[in-house]
Amino acid sequence: MRLLILGGTWFLGRAVGELALSSGWSVTTFNRGVSAPDLPGVRAVHGDRERVEDWQSLAEHGPWDAVIDTIGYVPRQVLAAATALAPVVGRYVFVSSVNAYTGWPNEPLDEHSPVFDCPADADATFGAELGYAGQYGALKAGCENAVLHAVGSQRTIVLRPGVILGPQEYVGRLIWWLTRAARGGQLLVPGPASRSIQPVDVRDVAAFALTCAQGRACGSFNVAAPIGHSSFGGFIDACVAVTRADTRPVWVDPDWLIAQGVREWTELPLWRTRQGVWAVDSSQAAAAGLSCRPLRNTVYETWEWMTGGGNTITGSGEAGRAADHGISAEREHELLTAWHQPQ
């Protein structure tokens, strides 16, 4: 199997490459060659996704049985890539996001839910009035349109993951909880512990992407753990257990936290109260081969990566997003003190 990965050095792209190589596939990667080292064993082609001529040059290294795009974000750039690669690839797997749905995170979703209307040739300024999350979703929807326009529906597979966790994570959600749990003491946690959550392991996303790359199914798939697969309480328990610190979770009423001005999703990562956040129907992907390991395993193996010297993610841009997540120790102490006061 001859595979082209657009990306291939960070998180999901790297996981796809590692798994493909271990399966004996011939792997080519395309990236700028500046964010992280190329995987040993791949044929690395360096170029800039903003340059049409670099996509045309990349196509000369083909053909490939499939391409998996893990980096596409701007429709115009994805359109240039798909147009150049369409003659030299078989199946085209594009990694989009649940943000592409207009209803996320406010309502339950399946693959028939409406997505943003964004043209295939939109530039990075499209949807600025929607705010960061809305613009990101609109642009991802435009990227989906770009691939469909250039490649056609018979060869296109769109993956719409929710939250992806695991080793090499650069967003910092699980990393923050593990780091905080390791510090010990009273740990502020938004209730209820029974809240269902659906993070998916990066290696399970990678395996499903490869399944799609070599299969026959086309169309769109929500990529998330099944509804009810994990709970926030189980997640926190795993973080506390693996760090082996003297950490005591204090479960706090979410309405009280909101009243105190605590920011959902960032100050306390993975916490969001809107009903659609963890109500993404992924049964279609499960039927097509998606298998999700227990979230506890993801937590434990991420801690092993962190403590084994693997957590060296620094810098700016995508790799610097970890700095946006987590509440300060001072703020957490203030909130805990206020929570323990007589109501």
Side-chain angles (χ1 to χ4, degrees):
M1 189 76 177
R2 298 162 300 177
L3 176 68
L4 170 64
I5 304 173
L6 306 185
T9 60
W10 283 106
F11 200 35
L12 177 58
R14 192 173 189 87
V16 170
E18 289 174 343
L19 184 56
L21 288 170
S22 69
S23 301
W25 293 21
S26 172
V27 180
T28 302
T29 58
F30 175 80
N31 53 66
R32 294 176 300 165
V34 298
S35 297
D38 292 302
L39 276 172
V42 305
R43 178 175 60 163
V45 179
H46 293 155
D48 192 326
R49 59 186 172 184
E50 296 184 10
R51 291 167 54 89
V52 173
E53 55 267 37
D54 285 1
W55 292 119
Q56 296 168 341
S57 177
L58 172 63
E60 296 175 2
H61 292 268
W64 297 277
D65 298 300
V67 56
I68 300 177
D69 184 351
T70 66
I71 60 174
Y73 170 64
V74 179
R76 182 173 296 176
Q77 295 172 10
V78 173
L79 181 61
T83 299
L85 296 174
V88 293
V89 299
R91 296 168 65 76
Y92 205 114
V93 181
F94 179 75
V95 181
S96 183
S97 168
V98 293
N99 287 73
Y101 291 112
T102 59
W104 193 88
N106 298 315
E107 58 193 46
L109 301 169
D110 61 26
E111 285 83 359
H112 300 292
S113 300
V115 299
F116 283 100
D117 183 13
C118 176
D121 61 349
D123 63 22
T125 65
F126 184 89
E129 72 282 357
L130 299 172
Y132 173 79
Q135 183 181 32
Y136 176 75
L139 290 173
K140 278 293 193 178
C143 292
E144 296 178 13
N145 289 334
V147 176
L148 286 166
H149 176 82
V151 180
S153 61
Q154 297 305 306
R155 291 192 288 150
T156 297
I157 305 95
V158 172
L159 307 184
R160 296 183 182 130
V163 172
I164 305 176
L165 301 178
Q168 303 281 340
E169 181 201 350
Y170 56 76
V171 177
R173 297 183 177 108
L174 175 51
I175 290 172
W176 185 83
W177 280 111
L178 283 168
T179 302
R180 172 59 192 89
R183 198 169 73 234
Q186 291 190 346
L187 171 64
L188 176 70
V189 189
S194 60
R195 185 189 302 277
S196 174
I197 59 175
Q198 295 179 270
V200 61
D201 191 287
V202 63
R203 294 157 296 184
D204 296 334
V205 181
F208 184 59
L210 293 181
T211 295
C212 292
Q214 63 183 328
R216 295 184 178 180
C218 296
S220 302
F221 297 94
N222 294 332
V223 185
I227 296 172
H229 181 263
S230 308
S231 69
F232 205 76
F235 170 75
I236 294 298
D237 287 346
C239 290
V240 171
V242 71
T243 57
R244 299 184 179 181
D246 181 19
T247 307
R248 302 173 300 283
V250 177
W251 292 92
V252 177
D253 183 278
D255 291 334
W256 184 86
L257 288 171
I258 292 171
Q260 305 308 306
V262 178
R263 297 192 305 275
E264 300 178 49
W265 209 240
T266 53
E267 282 196 293
L268 294 176
L270 301 180
W271 168 55
R272 205 163 187 175
T273 56
R274 298 184 186 184
Q275 69 177 80
V277 177
W278 304 116
V280 179
D281 183 356
S282 59
S283 58
Q284 188 165 298
L290 173 66
S291 178
C292 296
R293 71 194 69 196
L295 181 56
R296 184 181 187 88
N297 291 11
T298 302
V299 172
Y300 273 60
E301 289 154 14
T302 301
W303 180 247
E304 290 178 356
W305 165 70
M306 290 172 61
T307 56
N311 185 15
T312 58
I313 294 172
T314 58
S316 59
E318 287 295 294
R321 290 175 62 191
D324 297 332
H325 290 83
I327 198 168
S328 69
E330 295 76 15
R331 175 66 168 147
E332 181 186 26
H333 176 74
E334 291 174 0
L335 290 165
L336 286 168
T337 299
W339 173 253
H340 287 309
Q341 295 296 322
Q343 303 294 311

